[in-house]
Amino acid sequence: MDYQLLFAEALYKQLKDQLKQDKIIQLIEKPKYQEMGDFAFPCFELAKVFRKAPHQIALELSEQVVLPDAFTKIEAAGGYVNVFLDKSQVSSFVVEEVLKKKSHYGAVNQGEGAVITIDFSSPNIAKPFSMGHLRSTVIGHSLARIAEKNGFEVVRINHLGDWGTQFGKLIAAYKLWGNEEQIRKNPIKELLKLYVQFHDEAEHDSTLIDEGRLWFKRLEDGDQEALALWKWFRDESLKEFNSIYQLLGVTFDSVQGEAFYNDKMDRVVQLLEEKELLEESDGALVVETAEGMPPCLIKKKDGTTLYATRDLAAAIYRHETYGSERSLYVVGNEQTLHFKQLFHVLQKMGYDWSLELSHVPFGMMLKDGKKMSTRKGKVVLLEEVLKEAVSLARQNIADKNPSLADQEQVAHQVGTGAVIFHDLKNHRLNDVEFSLDTMLKFEGETGPYVQYTHARASSILRKGAYQEKANGLAFSGETAWSVIKCLMEFPEAVKRSFEGNDPSQTAKYVLELAKVFNQFYGNVRILDAAEERQEKLSLVHAVQIVLKEGLHLLGVEAPEEM
């Protein structure tokens, strides 16, 4: 039940000549203090329309508006109309709704089964999976689950960076300094060393850059030696990536690298030629874009292709293959211009569906306030961070709850959950400072805090020998009202997360629910008193359900015990 909508509909009956219902919904606020009511409507915008003071309009509306049964009181306070919900009726309805719907609570069918593709993670092969890659991976994974919650069919795409001039550089480095035996023992770390060495040496020897370009040209031309080295580097990378995805619980429907589109780019160039969009510039082929943007480079002077060429081919392929109505590209802020160019060229090609393509940018993962750089070797490996997080969680369990069953599983859930939650609680556009100590705290705004709250709710239900009752609940007092109101807000948090491509809305929500529940737990004797025992346990169960589902949308597991 959307009680804000009910209030808006009641107001609209009095104000339909002055305001549209959508505008009324936008104006409704939630008062800061509980004693001021549950919803408030500000009358300041109506002052010019009615030519009256806001407080006078509020007073008249409070006398004219007929509220539905779910409300008990309406009053004017300054320039606001404040309304109060029937706590008993609403509490019973909300808890029963959660218990009936369980994990489906908060779901809406906004997408009606339409397909949405989400391009995320997309690490570069032959480089370690660093903390810098974490952001795209966990943001995209969460957005996929949130989109499904909103009724969309999601195609998860991992667009591997497995092509481009960096592979020419890596092959050149391997030919100059590589040791096959060492690389076979520890492929990714040894390849990283070569990549870093190449850029260090290139600062003093510019011919190395030319050598790298030549090897990439050989790769594009199908040279057998270049292809064999490239395939070896790619296979070793995928092994490491898959072990990390397994740790994070992340899966994909399509894992296709840039190289997959090599045989599809001639068609793109041909289409651009047919539409007379290609122009020559200093020997290269470009497409002019909107004012203020540089031209989009399609082919270099030496005939090699670029990201844009492959991304055009990928966008067309995905639309034709999946019939997607929307597409999200979860890629860092630094690629904003690239995606503006990409979308603009697709529009010039006459593809109307390109209007539904969206770049979902995010800030950087910082270490000591500075960007992590693979080419300079300043990188924190994600696999090592995850393993250390799990190890610290394991030690915490050994210290505080040594008799816990399934300690290894819980340590994994808490350790990886801490890393994921630390990222997602921040708005994606903000930079995130890497701090393992902060991530793993069991108090404050952390994943372990929310997980522990879920485990606490589960423990209460076990101790209370809870038997579910989804009908006939009768709440009376005010003690649980802050928890009930928070439960009511879950569907709206899910909706905001989807519409803003912003998992932090869900993360902030579960933190708030954990906080108000822990306050309730600290003030109310749930198991001791016979009065409303079933209602109190039902409320605990509702909180348990919503915390678990909220964490699920973030890609974080919810242990029953900790």
Side-chain angles (χ1 to χ4, degrees):
M1 184 76 68
D2 189 336
Y3 295 103
Q4 183 171 325
L5 179 60
L6 287 178
F7 179 37
E9 288 171 347
L11 285 165
Y12 181 65
K13 288 175 183 176
Q14 296 297 323
L15 298 172
K16 57 187 173 185
D17 294 332
Q18 289 82 30
L19 289 175
K20 292 182 179 179
Q21 187 169 314
D22 286 350
K23 181 63 176 175
I24 292 172
I25 293 170
Q26 287 173 18
L27 286 171
I28 291 174
E29 300 174 6
K30 288 168 186 170
K32 188 174 181 180
Y33 300 107
Q34 198 163 297
E35 59 270 19
M36 295 171 70
D38 297 302
F39 299 107
F41 177 72
C43 299
F44 305 101
E45 285 199 23
L46 293 170
K48 289 182 181 177
V49 178
F50 288 114
R51 294 183 180 178
K52 293 179 182 177
H55 73 272
Q56 183 64 35
I57 299 168
L59 187 63
E60 291 173 9
L61 280 174
S62 69
E63 294 169 350
Q64 295 164 352
V65 170
V66 179
L67 291 174
D69 289 343
F71 294 84
T72 57
K73 188 168 73 168
I74 182 169
E75 64 182 23
Y80 290 85
V81 177
N82 294 343
V83 292
F84 297 76
L85 287 164
D86 182 326
K87 293 181 176 60
S88 177
Q89 179 183 330
V90 172
S91 296
S92 299
F93 178 84
V94 170
V95 173
E96 288 175 6
E97 186 84 348
V98 176
L99 298 189
K100 285 173 190 170
K101 292 185 175 179
K102 299 219 166 26
S103 64
H104 295 291
Y105 178 66
V108 293
N109 196 23
Q110 184 179 343
E112 299 181 333
V115 175
I116 180 169
T117 63
I118 304 182
D119 177 331
F120 66 102
S121 193
S122 309
N124 293 321
I125 68 164
K127 292 182 186 177
F129 203 118
S130 73
M131 283 299 292
H133 296 102
L134 175 72
R135 302 221 66 197
S136 175
T137 305
V138 298
I139 292 169
H141 182 52
S142 178
L143 288 177
R145 289 185 169 182
I146 289 166
E148 287 171 338
K149 187 85 171 172
N150 279 272
F152 287 85
E153 181 185 335
V154 178
V155 179
R156 296 161 167 83
I157 296 172
N158 192 356
H159 186 69
L160 296 171
D162 66 354
W163 207 250
T165 53
Q166 70 266 35
F167 297 103
K169 294 174 183 178
L170 189 60
I171 292 170
Y174 175 75
K175 294 294 289 180
L176 285 167
W177 312 297
N179 181 308
E180 183 178 349
E181 186 180 344
Q182 286 181 334
I183 290 172
R184 291 201 179 276
K185 282 180 184 174
N186 201 341
I188 303 304
K189 286 186 180 177
E190 290 300 322
L191 290 172
L192 174 62
K193 282 182 187 176
L194 289 175
Y195 189 73
V196 172
Q197 185 177 355
F198 181 91
H199 285 95
D200 286 344
E201 298 284 345
E203 288 182 8
H204 313 292
D205 183 359
S206 60
T207 63
L208 283 174
I209 300 297
D210 295 330
E211 184 76 6
R213 287 195 185 112
L214 285 172
W215 270 107
F216 180 56
K217 184 70 170 66
R218 287 175 67 174
L219 189 60
E220 285 223 304
D221 292 342
D223 177 86
Q224 289 303 303
E225 182 183 12
L227 280 170
L229 288 170
W230 170 80
K231 187 176 185 305
W232 176 34
F233 299 159
R234 188 181 193 276
D235 290 347
E236 293 296 343
S237 297
L238 284 174
K239 286 178 193 173
E240 177 169 304
F241 295 165
N242 287 334
S243 70
I244 291 165
Y245 291 136
Q246 195 171 359
L247 279 171
L248 290 170
V250 172
T251 58
F252 297 94
D253 302 297
S254 168
V255 181
Q256 304 288 8
E258 293 179 65
F260 176 77
Y261 299 100
N262 282 346
D263 63 354
K264 299 168 181 58
M265 289 187 289
D266 286 345
R267 178 190 172 201
V268 171
V269 176
Q270 185 180 343
L271 285 168
L272 290 168
E273 285 176 343
E274 288 172 3
K275 296 176 185 293
E276 299 181 347
L277 294 172
L278 278 183
E279 296 181 19
E280 190 173 317
S281 175
D282 295 329
L285 294 176
V286 303
V287 175
E288 288 295 332
T289 52
E291 189 176 337
M293 277 196 288
C296 184
L297 192 53
I298 302 298
K299 264 193 175 182
K300 290 182 183 177
K301 189 188 294 188
D302 63 5
T304 56
T305 52
L306 293 102
Y307 287 122
T309 328
R310 289 186 284 278
D311 277 351
L312 288 167
I316 295 167
Y317 172 84
R318 290 171 190 175
H319 183 75
E320 292 175 350
T321 303
Y322 303 116
S324 49
E325 291 195 14
R326 297 192 196 185
S327 293
L328 304 182
Y329 294 82
V330 186
V331 184
N333 277 330
E334 63 274 14
Q335 294 297 321
T336 297
L337 174 61
H338 166 75
F339 285 105
K340 282 182 179 176
Q341 291 177 313
L342 176 71
F343 301 160
H344 189 79
V345 172
L346 287 166
Q347 286 166 31
K348 288 185 81 168
M349 293 174 79
Y351 293 120
D352 292 339
W353 48 262
S354 65
L355 296 171
E356 297 301 323
L357 304 180
S358 300
H359 174 212
V360 181
F362 54 86
M364 294 181 290
M365 181 69 75
L366 305 177
K367 182 166 172 56
D368 301 323
K370 296 177 182 176
K371 181 183 177 182
M372 299 177 183
S373 170
T374 306
R375 72 171 56 181
K376 294 186 183 300
K378 292 178 181 176
V379 66
V380 177
L381 301 184
L382 178 57
E383 187 171 21
E384 291 178 4
V385 169
L386 291 173
K387 286 180 177 176
E388 188 176 349
V390 171
S391 176
L392 288 170
R394 189 186 296 120
Q395 185 59 50
N396 212 313
I397 291 167
D399 293 342
K400 295 182 178 178
N401 193 3
S403 61
L404 177 69
D406 300 319
Q407 289 190 25
E408 196 55 39
Q409 181 184 359
V410 174
H412 171 82
Q413 291 173 332
V414 173
T416 57
V419 174
I420 294 167
F421 195 91
H422 177 73
D423 189 300
L424 295 181
K425 74 177 183 181
N426 297 282
H427 188 279
R428 58 179 168 77
L429 288 174
N430 296 337
D431 294 338
V432 176
E433 180 68 34
F434 167 71
S435 168
L436 196 56
D437 290 338
T438 303
M439 292 177 193
L440 283 157
K441 286 181 179 173
F442 280 70
E443 62 281 329
E445 297 187 346
T446 67
Y449 169 71
V450 181
Q451 289 174 313
Y452 183 73
T453 305
H454 174 270
R456 168 175 276 171
S458 302
S459 173
I460 294 168
L461 296 175
R462 285 193 301 273
K463 288 177 183 175
Y466 171 67
Q467 297 293 316
E468 186 172 315
K469 178 186 177 186
N471 291 295
L473 297 172
F475 290 85
S476 59
E478 302 235 354
T479 51
W481 187 236
S482 59
V483 182
I484 296 291
K485 284 182 74 173
C486 199
L487 288 171
M488 282 167 51
E489 290 166 5
F490 182 56
E492 185 61 30
V494 173
K495 185 181 174 188
R496 286 197 310 271
S497 289
F498 176 73
E499 291 177 349
N501 295 320
D502 179 16
S504 75
Q505 295 290 330
T506 297
K508 288 180 173 68
Y509 171 82
V510 293
L511 282 167
E512 180 62 21
L513 179 57
K515 186 178 102 177
V516 297
F517 173 73
N518 282 319
Q519 288 170 347
F520 170 73
Y521 173 79
N523 293 326
V524 177
R525 301 178 74 83
I526 298 170
L527 298 177
D528 293 351
E531 185 184 354
E532 288 191 5
R533 180 185 170 93
Q534 181 66 43
E535 281 72 18
K536 288 169 185 172
L537 286 172
S538 296
L539 177 66
V540 173
H541 187 33
V543 169
Q544 180 203 38
I545 289 168
V546 176
L547 281 177
K548 183 174 183 176
E549 180 60 11
L551 287 170
H552 170 77
L553 293 178
L554 299 170
V556 176
E557 294 190 62
E560 295 280 320
E561 294 183 76
M562 280 175 68

